[in-house]
Amino acid sequence: MTEQEILSSLRTKKFGRTIHWYDTIDSTNNRARQLAIDGAEEGTLVIANYQTSGKGRMGRRWEAEPGTNLTFTLILTPQIPAADTGIIPLIAGLAVAQAIESVTRKRPVCKWPNDILMDGKKVCGILAESVIDGTAVRAIVVGIGVNVNQTNFPPDLGETATSLLLATGERYARTQVLAAILGQFESLISYLERRKRDEFLKQYEAYTTMIGTAVTLTHSAGTANGIVAGIDSEGGIMIRGADGKTSTWYAGDVSLISGGLRR
Ligand code: BTN
């Protein structure tokens, strides 16, 4: 996958039109953060064949075999208040899910906040980080890791990770998957506009199986058990507890309560 191959497969106006390509790098998010501080423009793509210190959410690592997967970061520079940016990772998640569906003809599931699952296993993770300048958000770097053609996962991930190849039995050209994601992400980014949030949530909820299911949310501030009542317009998950009260969470991990009720 060369820079030239990427450029010739893109159908976007801005996303991916400036490319920083690396064979090996620590983390594309780290590099993108520096580029954003240096003034990189919206849509700049940082992509690597292999990351030595790929980062996951909540301080975890992101491990991906060299040469078979997609590990990249897109720089966004939205001119909106910091408080409005929480929806961006969900927009990215929906874009990836729809892109995967268009390429593989198999529909993935979005697991709040932004994991993409196929056959109940994770095929993509997203780590969005804000680049703050004083009190203003200078940029949001959206890091996306998609397992494309990897077939072996370390024992600790084997039960929970999959790839497009494992989920469909077919190999995919990484450039084709990347171009589909960037195209879909560029067309969905208009959902950042406040007046379009309801329409976004309708689409997002069509890709998630969580609404109405019993979950446990784990967060550094504690845990919440209850039924998922929906996603709010800031990207938070609303959980209705046994006492009937609904709490909204903007970070954390959710897991299904097995044998839990669907209401
Ligand atoms: C998660 O599911 O915990 C998020 C994983 C995000 C991984 C991607 S790979 C490209 C980008 N660079 C990183 O260091 N992380 C993200």
Side-chain angles (χ1 to χ4, degrees):
M1 183 175 52
T2 63
E3 197 174 326
Q4 207 40 55
E5 281 169 0
I6 296 172
L7 281 173
S8 53
S9 62
L10 288 178
R11 297 283 173 273
T12 52
K13 277 209 190 85
K14 268 192 179 172
F15 284 20
R17 290 293 165 188
T18 303
I19 300 177
H20 294 258
W21 192 96
Y22 298 90
D23 184 49
T24 303
I25 201 170
D26 57 343
S27 153
T28 55
N29 267 35
N30 290 352
R31 183 73 193 115
R33 174 179 282 279
Q34 189 55 51
L35 289 165
I37 291 169
D38 296 344
E41 59 186 24
E42 165 113 333
T44 298
L45 173 70
V46 183
I47 181 159
N49 214 26
Y50 181 59
Q51 298 183 118
T52 53
S53 314
K55 299 191 292 183
R57 287 175 58 242
M58 304 177 76
R60 292 186 284 245
R61 289 175 56 81
W62 181 260
E63 311 275 1
E65 212 174 68
T68 49
N69 299 307
L70 282 170
T71 46
F72 64 94
T73 302
L74 200 69
I75 300 176
L76 301 182
T77 56
Q79 304 300 311
I80 55 173
D84 284 2
T85 58
I87 199 87
I88 289 178
L90 278 73
I91 296 176
L94 179 63
V96 173
Q98 291 181 339
I100 288 177
E101 187 177 13
S102 75
V103 171
T104 67
R105 301 280 147 216
K106 183 165 169 170
R107 191 177 178 109
V109 161
C110 293
K111 175 171 181 276
W112 184 90
N114 41 39
D115 288 350
I116 311 299
L117 311 183
M118 293 177 97
D119 303 326
K121 295 183 175 187
K122 184 157 160 174
V123 71
C124 166
I126 297 173
L127 176 67
E129 299 180 281
S130 305
V131 181
I132 309 287
D133 184 1
T135 53
V137 178
R138 177 177 280 232
I140 310 280
V141 298
V142 185
I144 301 180
V146 185
N147 300 329
V148 181
N149 295 316
Q150 184 163 340
T151 49
N152 288 308
F153 290 93
D156 55 323
L157 289 182
E159 290 297 303
T160 54
T162 192
S163 64
L164 298 184
L165 171 54
L166 288 175
T168 65
E170 278 179 48
R171 298 185 73 81
Y172 296 92
R174 287 181 295 161
T175 40
Q176 182 199 7
V177 180
L178 176 67
I181 293 172
L182 295 181
Q184 199 56 22
F185 198 7
E186 186 172 275
S187 75
L188 295 191
I189 201 68
S190 66
Y191 280 135
L192 265 180
E193 288 173 36
R194 286 232 139 247
R195 62 187 173 87
K196 294 193 180 166
R197 293 281 170 100
D198 286 352
E199 171 56 25
F200 168 71
L201 291 173
K202 233 194 286 165
Q203 278 203 45
Y204 181 87
E205 288 182 359
Y207 277 80
T208 174
T209 50
M210 291 202 140
I211 314 290
T213 57
V215 298
T216 297
L217 178 136
T218 318
H219 184 270
S220 52
T223 60
N225 291 310
I227 305 287
V228 178
I231 308 293
D232 82 353
S233 61
E234 320 294 328
I237 190 165
M238 299 182 283
I239 297 180
R240 195 173 58 247
D243 58 2
K245 288 196 185 123
T246 301
S247 56
T248 305
W249 301 78
Y250 295 94
D253 271 332
V254 279
S255 51
L256 293 185
I257 297 176
S258 56
L261 288 179
R262 230 192 132 86
R263 285 187 202 150

